[in-house]
Amino acid sequence: MHRLSKRSVKSLVRSSTAARYRDVAAPISSTHFFYQSADADSKGRWYSVLTSGRCDVIESAKPFKSRNEPFLGCRFESTAAASDTSDSPSEKFEYQAEVSRLMDLIVNSLYSNKEVFLRELISNASDALDKLRFLGVTEPELLKDAVDLDIRIQTDKDNGIITITDSGIGMTRQELVDCLGTIAQSGTAKFLKALKDSKDAGADSNLIGQFGVGFYSAFLVSERVEVSTKSPKSDKQYVWVGEANSSTYTIREETDPAKQLPRGTRLTLYLKRDDKGYAHPERVEKLVKNYSQFVSFPIYTWQEKGFTKEVEVDEDPSEAKKEGEDETAEKKKKTKKVVEKYWDWELTNETQPIWLRSPKEVSKEDYNEFYKKTFNEYLEPLASSHFTTEGEVEFRSVLFVPSVSGMGKDDMINPKTKNIRLYVKRVFISDDFDGELFPRYLSFIKGVVDSNDLPLNVSREILQESRIVRIMRKRLVRKAFEMIQGIALSENRDDYEKFWENFGKHLKLGCIEDRENHKRIAPLLRFFSSQSENEMISLDEYVENMKPDQNDIYYIASDSVTSARNTPFLEKLLEKDLEVLFLVDPIDEVAVQNLKAFKEKNFVDISKEDLDLGDKNEDKEKEIKQEFGQTCDWIKKRLGDKVASVQISSRLSSSPCVLVSGKFGWSANMERLMKAQTVGDTSNLDFMRSRRVFEINPEHPIIRTLTEACRSTPDDEEALRAIDLLYDAALVSSGFTPENPAQLGGKIYEMMNFALAGKWGTVPEYQQQAIQQPHIPETVEAEIVEPGEAGGQK
């Protein structure tokens, strides 16, 4: 005899009181299942007929009468209390745990999504079938009943009832107490341990359950759960009944012949009021296809179907009179098409996943069809990879490179793209990952991953961080790069151009975030260049075209190819026929700076100071510095803090000057990008801007003229104003933004007026004086002439 706690007594009183009201039930509808066999050698087939009021027998099937015949009997589905009408005595037990707290955790905290209850229950049913199949090898008498190994799910949406039936191993009375009465004790884990301890058997990798709480996920949506089970090792069938808000459960023997099972388990879920939507056949079918589509046993769902047939239609007498048909003419009977509806079992899952098949047996069309169906795509993928990894971590995977970007070219911020579907033993776990399996920059890769030994949490929803996950991630990333490299080396160059157009920015982001894979990312990058303005080239092609004495990879960052082509920084390099990469995307410059080098060739920004083109002549440089050193100091004194220094340039040939960035400062392109993101904070900009270096071309006439002015009249106002205008012009031509565009415009207009004066007409003397001294106007005396003296006559 069991001693009950106060809580159990209260629950018993509540259940007894509720039972008095539940006993008064309205007439109920029923669902009948019949077993039919053509001969003794054929396997049994199951049929279900929805009737109301009583159980009818159709001609082609008869109800079971012996204990070994029936698999499913007459099952009432109207109310939660309808099936609790057995006359056999019930024994009451208490859970062997702190149930009130533990059940609350399972129902309210363990699972984040209610719909996983069906996944867990189907996984348990699959385990029961696997156990039977495994034990049947050594104990053939367990399979003496000719019943298919399958799972069948039927719903009653009117009453909110779901029935899940499997023809697996079933449970004895003691196993019911051990597995369902002790929360968190896994029958599957116990079975696997027994297999490992045995001498002649190993663990069956197809078994799914491992935590022992999957069954209780039924209480996420159910207020009451009934488990009717029959083990082939026992002559009796037992019924386990539990409620969501109760700390007790009951076990009784099934005495109703109509409900007898040959073997296996039938779960009946009486759904809560708010969750009765799960009892719709369409929703059940959707959940099975999403979570359990690749379970190794067939899953049948009870679905409404229909077929079209033609029926005769009575002719309207009024229409017959209007037509005035000839009595001798043969009358044609009118018909119409109607849809005849009926209910039948429908196979819902595919028992053979594509990734479990050998790659040699799968055609390209099969991969494309799987890709389109799984990820709801309409275009074929650019590439696919089907592989199996063994060793420390064992898993199978099929990966795809999409043809187009599904989330937009500029949206790389959110890594949760639901592109990788994770399966554990063919059961769908999740597609919501935050970089555990793939880094953010490869989030466009789509595919499935199936493993048998992943570290999941108890609810099998969260992938825990571990060494196994890190190894798996590394191998998946490597396979992804092999696919992309295959596209790049393909004979069809358009394929990679299409890939680069959609996912090029993702790889550039990888240069910033994944230093470990720089050697894999760098060969996949593409850029325009000074020798290829219309077609992008790879870094390998750039290195092949380098001059024998060229040691660096030169690049210039700008907002467009046109702007980069016309920059003054290119002048000397174009003369030497040195190729320069054009970085025209905002992310390009940061990506290249993170790469630092490619095949031992350093990346060099030609807009930075100390540019070495490999043609330095120290004697000539020393001579030039002595000649123009005074000029550089004079210009630096005039510009003040606007520049860090004034130097002789080795990169100019036709421009008089250029404004370059400091070695560790921002380039003009980077300054423009950072200025757009500072949100009003210009403190960093002021520091980086002070590192600009003003370089002059000693061969240019303007610089030579200013050198003469420096030597003769260094304080001449016109010469100093020319320096200011020269700096502003260099600021614009070098890609920087002038601080005062209006002031720069005024200087240009003034110089234009001065240059154009007297070119296309005679300029009055007072205008010339106004141009030369605009701030000190001079008074001109004029002789007054009388009007009468204008013609020389009075």
Side-chain angles (χ1 to χ4, degrees):
M1 184 172 180
H2 298 276
R3 183 179 300 275
L4 301 179
S5 62
K6 292 183 179 180
R7 180 179 299 168
S8 301
V9 172
K10 291 180 180 179
S11 302
L12 178 61
V13 173
R14 288 199 306 270
S15 60
S16 301
T17 305
R20 292 199 298 269
Y21 294 97
R22 288 198 298 265
D23 288 340
V24 184
I28 55 179
S29 62
S30 60
T31 301
H32 310 290
F33 296 83
F34 299 97
Y35 179 87
Q36 181 186 13
S37 178
D39 50 50
D41 296 332
S42 64
K43 291 186 177 181
R45 301 294 178 186
W46 297 103
Y47 299 88
S48 176
V49 181
L50 297 182
T51 62
S52 60
R54 60 187 180 86
C55 297
D56 297 327
V57 182
I58 59 177
E59 295 180 359
S60 61
K62 62 180 181 179
F64 293 102
K65 296 182 181 179
S66 65
R67 188 182 61 214
N68 294 330
E69 289 179 342
F71 177 56
L72 293 174
C74 183
R75 180 170 58 82
F76 296 92
E77 299 181 339
S78 61
T79 63
S83 60
D84 195 17
T85 59
S86 175
D87 296 331
S88 61
S90 298
E91 299 179 71
K92 184 162 290 189
F93 301 86
E94 286 196 18
Y95 293 105
Q96 301 301 310
E98 185 62 34
V99 179
S100 60
R101 179 59 180 156
L102 191 56
M103 286 293 289
D104 180 68
L105 288 174
I106 293 174
V107 175
N108 298 316
S109 303
L110 190 60
Y111 297 94
S112 60
N113 194 349
K114 284 186 176 183
E115 64 184 20
V116 299
F117 81 93
L118 192 61
R119 178 195 72 183
E120 297 297 313
L121 298 180
I122 291 177
S123 298
N124 289 343
S126 176
D127 282 352
L129 293 167
D130 262 323
K131 293 177 187 177
L132 178 65
R133 184 170 59 180
F134 185 86
L135 296 175
V137 176
T138 56
E139 302 177 55
E141 64 274 9
L142 297 178
L143 297 170
K144 60 183 178 180
D145 297 307
V147 178
D148 291 338
L149 298 179
D150 57 20
I151 304 170
R152 296 179 181 267
I153 306 174
Q154 188 166 16
T155 60
D156 181 358
K157 64 180 180 180
D158 296 330
N159 297 309
I161 299 175
I162 299 178
T163 302
I164 305 171
T165 307
D166 68 78
S167 55
I169 190 64
M171 289 178 283
T172 63
R173 181 183 178 280
Q174 187 59 39
E175 288 172 340
L176 276 176
V177 176
D178 293 340
C179 297
L180 301 189
T182 304
I183 296 180
Q185 176 172 321
S186 172
T188 297
K190 187 176 180 181
F191 181 77
L192 288 174
K193 185 177 184 301
L195 292 180
K196 291 179 181 179
D197 294 340
S198 65
K199 297 180 181 179
D200 56 347
D204 186 359
S205 61
N206 289 329
L207 295 176
I208 301 169
Q210 55 180 322
F211 298 114
V213 297
F215 166 77
Y216 302 98
S217 64
F219 291 105
L220 291 171
V221 296
S222 307
E223 61 182 10
R224 184 165 175 266
V225 177
E226 179 181 303
V227 182
S228 182
T229 183
K230 170 71 167 57
S231 172
K233 299 180 181 181
S234 174
D235 294 334
K236 296 182 179 180
Q237 179 175 329
Y238 295 95
V239 180
W240 182 99
V241 180
E243 296 185 1
N245 297 323
S246 176
S247 60
T248 62
Y249 62 94
T250 63
I251 298 178
R252 61 178 172 81
E253 181 182 346
E254 182 62 78
T255 58
D256 189 350
K259 300 180 181 179
Q260 290 292 329
L261 303 169
R263 70 163 187 266
T265 303
R266 178 175 64 236
L267 271 70
T268 306
L269 310 182
Y270 300 92
L271 302 180
K272 300 175 183 178
R273 177 179 298 179
D274 295 339
D275 298 315
K276 288 187 176 182
Y278 288 106
H280 285 265
E282 296 82 4
R283 189 163 189 184
V284 167
E285 182 182 22
K286 181 180 179 181
L287 292 179
V288 171
K289 288 184 176 180
N290 186 41
Y291 289 101
S292 307
Q293 184 179 12
F294 303 109
V295 169
S296 56
F297 296 96
I299 302 175
Y300 295 92
T301 55
W302 191 244
Q303 299 290 337
E304 185 180 20
K305 300 182 179 181
F307 63 92
T308 304
K309 66 177 183 179
E310 291 188 356
V311 297
E312 295 182 3
V313 180
D314 294 336
E315 187 177 4
D316 191 354
S318 60
E319 292 183 1
K321 292 180 181 180
K322 291 180 180 179
E323 293 177 359
E325 294 179 338
D326 189 0
E327 295 181 359
T328 59
E330 184 179 355
K331 294 184 178 180
K332 294 183 180 180
K333 295 182 179 180
K334 289 187 176 181
T335 61
K336 69 175 182 179
K337 293 182 179 181
V338 295
V339 178
E340 189 77 15
K341 294 185 178 181
Y342 66 99
W343 290 81
D344 196 6
W345 292 111
E346 180 178 339
L347 181 63
T348 306
N349 68 323
E350 297 177 5
T351 57
Q352 181 63 25
I354 193 172
W355 59 83
L356 293 183
R357 296 161 58 184
S358 172
K360 298 179 181 179
E361 301 174 358
V362 186
S363 64
K364 183 178 180 181
E365 290 72 20
D366 293 335
Y367 287 123
N368 293 342
E369 182 181 357
F370 173 79
Y371 169 76
K372 292 178 181 179
K373 184 177 180 181
T374 305
F375 300 102
N376 295 323
E377 293 285 347
Y378 62 94
L379 294 177
E380 296 181 355
L382 289 176
S384 62
S385 177
H386 182 184
F387 60 94
T388 301
T389 301
E390 298 178 351
E392 265 186 299
V393 180
E394 296 184 4
F395 66 92
R396 297 172 182 266
S397 180
V398 180
L399 301 179
F400 300 94
V401 177
S403 298
V404 294
S405 176
M407 59 181 180
K409 298 177 184 178
D410 301 325
D411 185 11
M412 298 183 295
I413 304 302
N414 185 13
K416 296 184 178 181
T417 58
K418 298 185 181 296
N419 286 340
I420 299 297
R421 295 177 61 85
L422 176 65
Y423 292 81
V424 172
K425 299 176 182 178
R426 304 170 314 284
V427 176
F428 175 66
I429 299 301
S430 177
D431 58 0
D432 188 6
F433 298 106
D434 192 4
E436 291 92 346
L437 293 179
F438 271 98
R440 177 171 67 160
Y441 69 94
L442 289 178
S443 58
F444 61 89
I445 297 291
K446 297 185 178 183
V448 296
V449 179
D450 187 6
S451 176
N452 292 341
D453 52 1
L454 274 183
L456 302 173
N457 68 340
V458 177
S459 64
R460 300 202 300 163
E461 292 179 329
I462 302 173
L463 190 62
Q464 296 176 346
E465 178 65 25
S466 70
R467 186 177 58 89
I468 295 177
V469 176
R470 290 193 294 270
I471 294 174
M472 178 180 290
R473 171 188 167 119
K474 182 179 293 187
R475 294 181 181 177
L476 289 172
V477 169
R478 185 178 63 194
K479 288 294 183 179
F481 278 117
E482 288 179 3
M483 279 195 301
I484 300 173
Q485 187 67 31
I487 302 175
L489 298 177
S490 173
E491 296 179 358
N492 188 357
R493 193 180 179 95
D494 294 337
D495 285 346
Y496 195 76
E497 290 180 357
K498 185 187 301 183
F499 168 83
W500 184 256
E501 181 182 356
N502 286 280
F503 307 110
K505 290 184 180 180
H506 290 75
L507 296 184
K508 295 172 185 176
L509 180 64
C511 297
I512 303 171
E513 296 186 343
D514 192 355
R515 295 182 181 273
E516 295 181 359
N517 287 301
H518 276 179
K519 291 184 178 180
R520 291 190 176 101
I521 299 174
L524 302 174
L525 301 178
R526 298 292 184 269
F527 302 100
F528 293 106
S529 75
S530 58
Q531 297 180 7
S532 180
E533 297 181 4
N534 299 321
E535 187 175 353
M536 288 187 167
I537 63 169
S538 65
L539 294 179
D540 286 311
E541 292 173 327
Y542 180 93
V543 173
E544 290 177 3
N545 297 332
M546 288 175 62
K547 300 298 180 182
D549 57 344
Q550 184 179 347
N551 298 320
D552 300 318
I553 300 175
Y554 301 112
Y555 71 88
I556 179 69
S558 185
D559 57 348
S560 66
V561 173
T562 303
S563 213
R565 183 180 61 241
N566 296 321
T567 182
F569 300 106
L570 280 176
E571 293 175 359
K572 208 72 171 182
L573 287 94
L574 294 179
E575 282 186 2
K576 294 178 173 291
D577 197 26
L578 296 175
E579 189 173 13
V580 180
L581 296 177
F582 293 163
L583 311 186
V584 295
D585 273 348
I587 195 175
D588 283 353
E589 187 174 1
V590 182
V592 167
Q593 288 174 353
N594 278 269
L595 281 181
K596 295 182 180 179
F598 177 74
K599 291 185 176 180
E600 300 180 354
K601 305 290 184 180
N602 295 324
F603 289 96
V604 174
D605 187 352
I606 64 172
S607 68
K608 297 292 184 69
E609 64 177 333
D610 297 334
L611 177 65
D612 184 9
L613 300 179
D615 58 349
K616 285 189 176 183
N617 188 334
E618 294 183 359
D619 294 336
K620 185 177 180 180
E621 288 182 0
K622 186 176 180 180
E623 181 181 346
I624 293 176
K625 285 182 179 179
Q626 289 179 352
E627 182 180 356
F628 294 93
Q630 183 181 358
T631 305
C632 292
D633 296 337
W634 179 54
I635 295 176
K636 174 64 175 71
K637 181 179 179 181
R638 175 62 179 178
L639 297 179
D641 294 335
K642 293 181 180 180
V643 296
S645 63
V646 179
Q647 300 176 4
I648 304 299
S649 178
S650 61
R651 72 189 85 204
L652 298 177
S653 59
S654 58
S655 299
C657 60
V658 70
L659 197 63
V660 303
S661 302
K663 189 174 182 180
F664 302 102
W666 285 334
S667 66
N669 182 69
M670 183 60 66
E671 181 178 317
R672 176 177 57 84
L673 296 176
M674 296 303 296
K675 189 175 182 180
Q677 302 179 37
T678 52
V679 197
D681 182 12
T682 59
S683 56
N684 289 335
L685 286 176
D686 293 338
F687 171 75
M688 302 305 287
R689 189 180 295 121
S690 65
R691 295 299 307 158
R692 296 171 184 168
V693 177
F694 190 69
E695 291 189 0
I696 59 175
N697 180 9
E699 304 295 332
H700 198 276
I702 294 179
I703 301 301
R704 290 192 172 276
T705 303
L706 288 177
T707 300
E708 295 296 331
C710 172
R711 292 171 181 173
S712 58
T713 55
D715 297 328
D716 183 76
E717 187 65 26
E718 293 298 331
L720 296 177
R721 290 171 63 193
I723 293 175
D724 293 340
L725 183 59
L726 200 65
Y727 169 80
D728 289 336
L731 197 70
V732 175
S733 64
S734 301
F736 295 97
T737 303
E739 299 177 2
N740 193 338
Q743 185 179 8
L744 173 61
K747 293 178 182 178
I748 294 174
Y749 300 150
E750 185 178 350
M751 296 297 293
M752 288 178 62
N753 192 19
F754 180 78
L756 296 177
K759 291 288 184 180
W760 291 278
T762 303
V763 181
E765 182 180 355
Y766 72 89
Q767 289 188 9
Q768 295 179 2
Q769 295 175 352
I771 293 175
Q772 294 174 1
Q773 297 179 356
H775 301 290
I776 309 175
E778 189 175 313
T779 304
V780 180
E781 295 182 1
E783 183 181 358
I784 300 175
V785 181
E786 293 294 337
E789 298 176 351
Q793 295 180 358
K794 290 185 180 179

